[in-house]
PDB file of all heavy atoms in Angstrom:
ATOM      1  N   GLY A  36     -87.973   0.327  76.641  1.00  0.00           N
ATOM      2  CA  GLY A  36     -86.635   0.729  77.065  1.00  0.00           C
ATOM      3  C   GLY A  36     -86.644   1.909  78.085  1.00  0.00           C
ATOM      4  O   GLY A  36     -87.236   1.794  79.177  1.00  0.00           O
ATOM      5  N   ALA A 114     -73.952  -2.474 117.109  1.00  0.00           N
ATOM      6  CA  ALA A 114     -73.930  -3.784 116.452  1.00  0.00           C
ATOM      7  C   ALA A 114     -74.177  -4.920 117.441  1.00  0.00           C
ATOM      8  O   ALA A 114     -74.907  -5.856 117.152  1.00  0.00           O
ATOM      9  CB  ALA A 114     -72.561  -3.992 115.742  1.00  0.00           C
ATOM     10  N   PRO A 178    -102.623  -1.949  94.587  1.00  0.00           N
ATOM     11  CA  PRO A 178    -103.219  -1.269  93.414  1.00  0.00           C
ATOM     12  C   PRO A 178    -104.648  -1.631  93.169  1.00  0.00           C
ATOM     13  O   PRO A 178    -105.034  -2.784  93.205  1.00  0.00           O
ATOM     14  CB  PRO A 178    -102.297  -1.766  92.250  1.00  0.00           C
ATOM     15  CG  PRO A 178    -101.074  -2.205  92.880  1.00  0.00           C
ATOM     16  CD  PRO A 178    -101.448  -2.745  94.235  1.00  0.00           C
ATOM     17  N   THR A 262     -86.240  -3.861 105.684  1.00  0.00           N
ATOM     18  CA  THR A 262     -85.160  -4.818 106.134  1.00  0.00           C
ATOM     19  C   THR A 262     -85.744  -6.169 106.346  1.00  0.00           C
ATOM     20  O   THR A 262     -85.102  -7.181 105.994  1.00  0.00           O
ATOM     21  CB  THR A 262     -84.533  -4.268 107.395  1.00  0.00           C
ATOM     22  OG1 THR A 262     -84.187  -2.877 107.208  1.00  0.00           O
ATOM     23  CG2 THR A 262     -83.311  -5.018 107.742  1.00  0.00           C
ATOM     24  N   GLY A 387     -83.099   4.287  96.861  1.00  0.00           N
ATOM     25  CA  GLY A 387     -83.292   5.574  96.242  1.00  0.00           C
ATOM     26  C   GLY A 387     -81.983   6.223  95.933  1.00  0.00           C
ATOM     27  O   GLY A 387     -80.982   5.559  95.625  1.00  0.00           O
ATOM     28  N   LYS A 396     -80.374   3.498 105.329  1.00  0.00           N
ATOM     29  CA  LYS A 396     -79.742   2.431 104.478  1.00  0.00           C
ATOM     30  C   LYS A 396     -78.548   1.789 105.187  1.00  0.00           C
ATOM     31  O   LYS A 396     -78.345   0.550 105.041  1.00  0.00           O
ATOM     32  CB  LYS A 396     -79.287   3.014 103.119  1.00  0.00           C
ATOM     33  CG  LYS A 396     -78.190   4.036 103.127  1.00  0.00           C
ATOM     34  CD  LYS A 396     -77.867   4.469 101.712  1.00  0.00           C
ATOM     35  CE  LYS A 396     -76.696   5.469 101.686  1.00  0.00           C
ATOM     36  NZ  LYS A 396     -76.362   5.900 100.280  1.00  0.00           N
ATOM     37  N   MET A 440     -90.525 -22.101 106.375  1.00  0.00           N
ATOM     38  CA  MET A 440     -89.186 -22.588 106.225  1.00  0.00           C
ATOM     39  C   MET A 440     -88.874 -23.583 107.327  1.00  0.00           C
ATOM     40  O   MET A 440     -89.178 -23.337 108.503  1.00  0.00           O
ATOM     41  CB  MET A 440     -88.140 -21.455 106.175  1.00  0.00           C
ATOM     42  CG  MET A 440     -88.292 -20.539 104.999  1.00  0.00           C
ATOM     43  SD  MET A 440     -86.835 -19.608 104.636  1.00  0.00           S
ATOM     44  CE  MET A 440     -87.355 -18.771 103.106  1.00  0.00           C
TER      45      MET A 440
END
Side-chain angles (χ1 to χ4, degrees):
T262 310
K396 67 178 183 179
M440 295 199 175

